[in-house]
Amino acid sequence: MIGRALLALLPLVGSVLGQTAAGYTDPDNGWQFTGITDPVHDVTYGLIFPPLVSSGPQSTEFIGEFITPIAAEWLGFSMGGAMLDNLLLVAWPNGNDIIASTRYATDYVQPTEYDGPTITTLPSSLVNSTHWKWVFRCQNCTSWSGGGIDTTSGAALAWAFSSVGVDDPSDPESTFQEHTDFGFFGMDFSTAHNANYQSYLSGTPTSPTGPPSSTPTGPTTTIPITGPTIAPTPYDYIIVGAGPGGIITADRLTEAGKNVLLIERGGPSTGETGGTYTAPWAAGTNLTKFDIPGLFESMFTDANPWYWCKDITVFAGCLLGGGTSVNGALYWYPTTNDFSTAVGFPQSWTNHQPYTDKMTARLPSTDQPSTDGQRYLEQSFNVVSQLLQGQGYSQITINDNPNYKDHVYGYSAFDFINGKRGGPVATYFQTASARSNFHYMDYTLVSNVVRNGATITGVQTNNTAIGGNGIIPLNPNGRVILSAGSLGSPRILFQSGIGPSDMISLVQADPTAGPKLVPQSEWINLPVGMNVMDNPSINLVFTHPSIDAYENWADVWSDPRPADAAQYLENQSGVFAGASPKLNFWRAYSGSDGRTRYTQGTVRPGAASTNTSIPFNSSQIFTITMYLSTGITSRGRVGIDAALRAQPLVNPWFADPVDKTVLLQALEDVVSNINTVSGMTMITPDRTQTIQEYVDAYDPSTMDSNHWVASNRIGANSTVGVVDENTLVFGTDNLFIVDASIIPSLPMGNPHGMLMSTAEQAVAKILALAGGP
Ligand SMILES: Cc1cc2nc3c(=O)[nH]c(=O)nc-3n(C[C@H](O)[C@H](O)[C@H](O)COP(=O)(O)OP(=O)(O)OC[C@H]3O[C@@H](n4cnc5c(N)ncnc54)[C@H](O)[C@@H]3O)c2cc1C
Ligand SMILES: *[C@@H]1O[C@H](CO)[C@@H](O)[C@H](O)[C@H]1NC(C)=O
Ligand SMILES: *[C@@H]1O[C@H](CO)[C@@H](O)[C@H](O)[C@H]1NC(C)=O
Ligand SMILES: *[C@@H]1O[C@H](CO)[C@@H](O)[C@H](O)[C@H]1NC(C)=O
Ligand SMILES: *[C@@H]1O[C@H](CO)[C@@H](O)[C@H](O)[C@H]1NC(C)=O
Ligand SMILES: *[C@@H]1O[C@H](CO)[C@@H](O)[C@H](O)[C@H]1NC(C)=O
Ligand SMILES: *[C@@H]1O[C@H](CO)[C@@H](O)[C@H](O)[C@H]1NC(C)=O
Ligand SMILES: *[C@@H]1O[C@H](CO)[C@@H](O)[C@H](O)[C@H]1NC(C)=O
Ligand SMILES: *[C@@H]1O[C@H](CO)[C@@H](O)[C@H](O)[C@H]1NC(C)=O
């Protein structure tokens, strides 16, 4: 019954619980309950406890009631506020009777009958043409296997609602499907003890003024009083998604004094943010998987990779920091060309330098991440520099000269800080969090914006405890900013009735999302999801006797080299202070279509896979990944399927054959002088296959670089773009997007550096735009 999500929400109970129980009087029997009425389903849940005693054990029973419209096929209640390991009460009508049982679950499966409590259905229960009502006594109900409540203090309770009937209504042990809705509320049990408890049970009339210990007493003649739903606070700006785009936007808006809510569907990441997911060898420290750079490769081999978004079919991080908490942290300062009109930016965006300067002032790059200033595991750097020097490349410090990207190589640059993952979470998020006008809500999923035509009035969250319906409103002139990523923001737009009609129709057909969709007359047709880009990337695998392949990173999580682990734990230095990439290089090509395209290479010890007939020593393998970057023309499409899973619909790699020709040329060039590097052997592809054959046979799904951009690209009008030069969604008054989806074309390098400069510039334009809060 009460679903998986319920348990996950529990850490939030103190902060975002929307409803709190209050006193009310049942108009049918005059009993004074403490409880709530859920405003969505209009179901009342109430409890009455016997008076407290001053000595000896407190009573272990209570009176409870559910009063509900007949739309509720069954109702559930958790005395501990969660599904697992708690006393659960379940009831439904059967003819004129109420069928009820106590249940228990130790896993997210059908809860089974639980013995111990005694429940007695009381005479004021009823079933009529519009409602059913279960009034009951529950004895031996304040403690249960593994838990209980303290009736002198308060706790969270949970309810579950289903619009789908149980399988056998006459059988108290009937099975049923998962609830269709659920919610939480807080109750101070100490105010719910009632001196008339025994009279209620015995049917003796009670004094009409005998109050429950809670005050004020509700009027005695009206319908149950709704518990005071804590009115959801309106905000100047609501930002959806705490990836790099959302975090930077939130920091700059709060710096400007705006009242900002940042909503994130996932939970904490690094230790500094409350994350606790540590490797066994780092247990007891704050050095989580997301802190330790050397654990990057283990992101892809984890037995329980809970941090990936489960409803996006390509890799996307669903936790604080988004992609920047799980990525390789390769960090490139943008080039002038990245913001040029040639790649699709409006003229007003071309002076990126002041914004890039703001970013680098907050977050400088390092190509020497170990705290002791030494470089570790650099053998692949040495081998490939020999190779590239033979091709006329020069070694530079790459971020010292961002525009210089032809025939250059250098040490890989990262946004690590003090030997740990840095990025926007360690910088912008910290300064934002220190401001009282910054509000952060995690484990909260936004499905859609709430709008009245072109005007957005709030966002719909999945937490119905907020305001009773999960909607968080905006202040007058307030604005919503979507920062849910290149696949996440399009999905929110579709669910808001914005995008191509084929996508919105899938939302319309969904049983949960459909009813929340605006009518078709209000759909806004924009090219959402169209024009998406990602770098095609192809791996070449080599061996060289000097290489230390580091067990191909297979042991870093559970069985690291002891000295390296100890060095990192003590000093945040050594191999674990760096991620796997060691060298990056770029080269420009002229295509047969007259366009200039750039290729990027990334070199690392180890390999994702090998396919070879050449015998080799797996301790000596390393990879060169070649990407096609700026100048690429291929575009694809992202969207959703009928289950609303976000995914590529049309692959963006090699849609244009010239893109493929250029990348193939780059692959052939990079190994053209391999014979000059003594001991270097290419094992994949091997000598039975040409590079051309290798590229022709390459599985497109493994060409994905996780660098999705342009699904909501900025553009001159709603034919070519989704947002205008102020990042305002066309056809809306106050909906903006700041994430990788607005970038019109792939930048020169791995994108998050260029994206963070984009966010700095976007938020400056939003603040400058008239009409806001
Ligand atoms: C495996 C991997 C490796 C990468 N390596 C690199 C690299 O080395 N260097 C580099 O520059 N780039 C790299 N990238 C790309 C980079 O991380 C992304 O470009 C960047 O994170 C995009 O930022 P964003 O703000 O657009 O979205 P994201 O980072 O995706 O953040 C979106 C956030 O919104 C939240 N969210 C989504 N939907 C909702 C919703 N409905 N309600 C509430 N919250 C929601 C998500 O949980 C997430 O926190 C990598 C990406 C991946 C996946
Ligand atoms: C909302 O969704 C998030 C992300 O899936 C989840 O962690 C959370 O528990 C959900 N909240 C509720 C109230 O269902
Ligand atoms: C009370 O319930 C528990 C199970 O929660 C059971 O073990 C115990 O026997 C019950 N006590 C009585 C007196 O029925
Ligand atoms: C059915 O019972 C409920 C709860 O007591 C009451 O509010 C409602 O008016 C009743 N409906 C009819 C048609 O009597
Ligand atoms: C971990 O971080 C938290 C929050 O910053 C801090 O309170 C705690 O002392 C830290 N623990 C260790 C072991 O450093
Ligand atoms: C940590 O650094 C200090 C100072 O350089 C050094 O003496 C010590 O051996 C290092 N610890 C480990 C475990 O490597
Ligand atoms: C492995 O390489 C051979 C040729 O060397 C090729 O025929 C085969 O398709 C490759 N397998 C995969 C999975 O790429
Ligand atoms: C494989 O390489 C490792 C590391 O260079 C080396 O120690 C080992 O002896 C090599 N094994 C063989 C069989 O050559
Ligand atoms: C939209 O912008 C594109 C690119 O600037 C332009 O070619 C096109 O004519 C414009 N369309 C409309 C309807 O203005």
Side-chain angles (χ1 to χ4, degrees):
M1 52 174 257
I2 301 172
R4 178 174 298 274
L6 201 149
L7 189 75
L9 192 86
L10 270 186
L12 286 183
V13 152
S15 51
V16 298
L17 207 58
Q19 274 186 292
T20 309
Y24 72 88
T25 302
D26 181 321
D28 294 331
N29 56 20
W31 298 0
Q32 286 154 329
F33 285 87
T34 300
I36 59 145
T37 299
D38 154 45
V40 175
H41 305 291
D42 201 29
V43 182
T44 298
Y45 305 87
L47 300 178
I48 307 171
F49 292 93
L52 287 169
V53 294
S54 50
S55 65
Q58 298 297 342
S59 168
T60 61
E61 67 169 277
F62 57 84
I63 296 170
E65 72 175 6
F66 303 166
I67 311 171
T68 179
I70 50 172
E73 292 284 350
W74 60 263
L75 293 173
F77 199 77
S78 167
M79 289 306 296
M83 176 169 168
L84 296 192
D85 304 324
N86 278 297
L87 175 61
L88 309 175
L89 298 160
V90 184
W92 56 82
N94 180 41
N96 287 324
D97 298 329
I98 304 292
I99 307 297
S101 59
T102 48
R103 307 245 180 161
Y104 196 84
T106 54
D107 201 351
Y108 293 101
V109 294
Q110 180 81 54
T112 50
E113 200 77 19
Y114 180 68
D115 292 330
T118 303
I119 49 173
T120 311
T121 295
L122 298 176
S124 48
S125 300
L126 63 85
V127 181
N128 65 26
S129 60
T130 58
H131 287 74
W132 59 272
K133 173 172 172 175
W134 181 42
V135 188
F136 60 96
R137 180 185 192 183
C138 199
Q139 293 168 275
N140 188 21
C141 287
T142 56
S143 67
W144 50 84
S145 174
I149 56 169
D150 174 358
T151 66
T152 67
S153 65
L157 299 167
W159 54 264
F161 175 101
S162 181
S163 55
V164 180
V166 304
D167 299 323
D168 180 1
S170 64
D171 177 5
E173 293 188 42
S174 174
T175 53
F176 44 81
Q177 293 173 36
E178 193 181 2
H179 55 83
T180 54
D181 200 0
F182 67 91
F184 308 88
F185 61 98
M187 183 184 288
D188 181 357
F189 301 128
S190 71
T191 65
H193 297 268
N194 191 305
N196 293 319
Y197 188 90
Q198 284 306 324
S199 319
Y200 291 162
L201 286 179
S202 60
T204 317
T206 57
S207 145
T209 54
S213 27
S214 75
T215 53
T217 306
T220 53
T221 52
T222 56
I223 304 289
I225 300 160
T226 300
T229 299
I230 291 174
T233 319
Y235 296 91
D236 294 338
Y237 284 90
I238 298 172
I239 304 170
V240 182
I247 288 173
I248 291 176
T249 305
D251 185 43
R252 294 303 181 191
L253 290 175
T254 52
E255 183 184 49
K258 308 301 177 190
N259 193 28
V260 174
L261 173 66
L262 176 61
I263 303 178
E264 166 57 42
R265 62 182 288 183
S269 50
T270 56
E272 182 179 35
T273 66
T276 56
Y277 192 51
T278 53
W281 57 271
T285 72
N286 271 339
L287 297 165
T288 68
K289 186 178 190 97
F290 313 106
D291 289 279
I292 303 178
L295 292 177
F296 167 59
E297 293 289 339
S298 82
M299 296 292 172
F300 307 99
T301 55
D302 198 298
N304 174 27
W306 52 269
Y307 37 82
W308 301 123
C309 305
K310 300 295 186 260
D311 53 10
I312 298 182
T313 64
V314 293
F315 287 124
C318 265
L319 73 177
L320 173 56
T324 55
S325 289
V326 295
N327 70 14
L330 284 167
Y331 178 43
W332 311 116
Y333 297 170
T335 68
T336 304
N337 188 66
D338 287 345
F339 290 96
S340 66
T341 54
V343 302
F345 269 106
Q347 182 62 42
S348 56
W349 276 74
T350 53
N351 181 21
H352 77 94
Q353 199 59 50
Y355 307 102
T356 298
D357 289 347
K358 290 182 92 171
M359 172 185 84
T360 57
R362 293 298 299 277
L363 188 51
S365 72
T366 177
D367 63 9
Q368 207 161 350
S370 177
T371 54
D372 60 4
Q374 304 296 308
R375 296 186 194 278
Y376 291 85
L377 217 62
E378 294 297 335
Q379 304 88 357
S380 58
F381 179 94
N382 298 331
V383 173
V384 177
S385 26
Q386 245 186 292
L387 187 75
L388 296 176
Q389 273 163 12
Q391 297 167 30
Y393 281 72
S394 312
Q395 182 180 349
I396 62 168
T397 299
I398 292 161
N399 281 339
D400 283 357
N401 196 346
N403 287 334
Y404 183 16
K405 284 290 184 329
D406 187 14
H407 282 88
V408 293
Y409 73 94
Y411 289 106
S412 300
F414 304 93
D415 48 0
F416 296 141
I417 301 172
N418 296 332
K420 296 193 284 186
R421 188 178 292 274
V425 172
T427 52
Y428 293 91
F429 186 74
Q430 300 306 319
T431 45
S433 296
R435 296 188 186 107
S436 61
N437 53 329
F438 174 77
H439 308 274
Y440 180 61
M441 201 180 269
D442 62 359
Y443 295 116
T444 304
L445 181 76
V446 170
S447 52
N448 57 282
V449 298
V450 181
R451 66 185 175 93
N452 182 4
T455 307
I456 315 306
T457 57
V459 299
Q460 174 74 58
T461 72
N462 66 339
N463 186 353
T464 52
I466 300 167
N469 55 13
I471 293 174
I472 304 176
L474 283 175
N475 278 328
N477 301 325
R479 291 164 167 171
V480 170
I481 299 175
L482 301 182
S483 300
S486 288
L487 286 100
S489 287
R491 175 167 44 197
I492 296 171
L493 291 172
F494 303 145
Q495 292 184 268
S496 308
I498 300 172
S501 58
D502 60 347
M503 295 290 104
I504 305 176
S505 297
L506 292 171
V507 174
Q508 194 175 30
D510 184 85
T512 309
K516 296 198 172 88
L517 186 63
V518 291
Q520 189 151 5
S521 57
E522 292 193 20
W523 294 6
I524 300 172
N525 181 24
L526 291 176
V528 176
M530 306 296 187
N531 304 303
V532 79
M533 302 181 98
D534 176 49
N535 308 105
S537 56
I538 290 192
N539 294 321
L540 302 176
V541 185
F542 304 86
T543 57
H544 187 276
S546 71
I547 297 288
D548 176 355
Y550 216 66
E551 293 78 54
N552 205 12
W553 305 93
D555 297 336
V556 291
W557 179 256
S558 52
D559 186 23
R561 295 187 192 176
D564 290 350
Q567 180 184 0
Y568 185 78
L569 289 178
E570 194 165 314
N571 293 326
Q572 277 88 69
S573 64
V575 172
F576 279 99
S580 54
K582 299 299 165 192
L583 178 151
N584 287 90
F585 61 96
W586 279 267
R587 179 170 171 178
Y589 283 90
S590 299
S592 57
D593 55 2
R595 290 177 64 93
T596 301
R597 288 173 176 75
Y598 287 79
T599 56
Q600 179 190 346
T602 298
V603 177
R604 66 177 187 93
S609 66
T610 55
N611 175 24
T612 190
S613 55
I614 300 172
F616 68 101
N617 183 337
S618 62
S619 299
Q620 300 178 346
I621 56 175
F622 69 102
T623 300
I624 300 178
T625 302
M626 293 294 297
Y627 309 83
L628 190 63
S629 70
T630 296
I632 181 174
T633 49
S634 297
R635 292 178 184 268
R637 182 180 182 191
V638 293
I640 52 175
D641 64 11
L644 310 189
R645 272 184 307 244
Q647 59 198 284
L649 300 176
V650 177
N651 284 341
W653 315 285
F654 291 168
D656 178 349
V658 184
D659 283 346
K660 181 174 172 182
T661 308
V662 172
L663 188 55
L664 176 63
Q665 183 66 50
L667 287 161
E668 286 173 345
D669 286 348
V670 80
V671 294
S672 56
N673 61 333
I674 188 169
N675 295 339
T676 66
V677 183
S678 157
M680 183 172 177
T681 307
M682 182 160 74
I683 59 166
T684 301
D686 63 17
R687 56 177 86 90
T688 69
Q689 202 183 23
T690 64
I691 290 181
Q692 166 95 55
E693 287 163 346
Y694 179 63
V695 170
D696 285 344
Y698 212 81
D699 176 359
S701 68
T702 61
M703 266 182 231
D704 179 349
S705 297
N706 309 303
H707 294 166
W708 303 92
V709 298
S711 51
N712 294 312
R713 72 175 175 185
I714 199 166
N717 57 52
S718 62
T719 308
V720 294
V722 174
V723 298
D724 73 8
E725 64 182 332
N726 293 306
T727 76
L728 177 69
V729 175
F730 287 111
T732 73
D733 297 333
N734 55 343
L735 179 60
F736 296 79
I737 305 178
V738 183
D739 61 22
S741 71
I742 65 170
I743 295 171
S745 203
L746 281 167
M748 185 64 80
N750 312 59
H752 90 276
M754 185 272 178
L755 166 61
M756 292 194 289
S757 172
T758 300
E760 285 277 17
Q761 185 161 183
V763 67
K765 286 179 160 52
I766 292 169
L767 277 167
L769 185 65

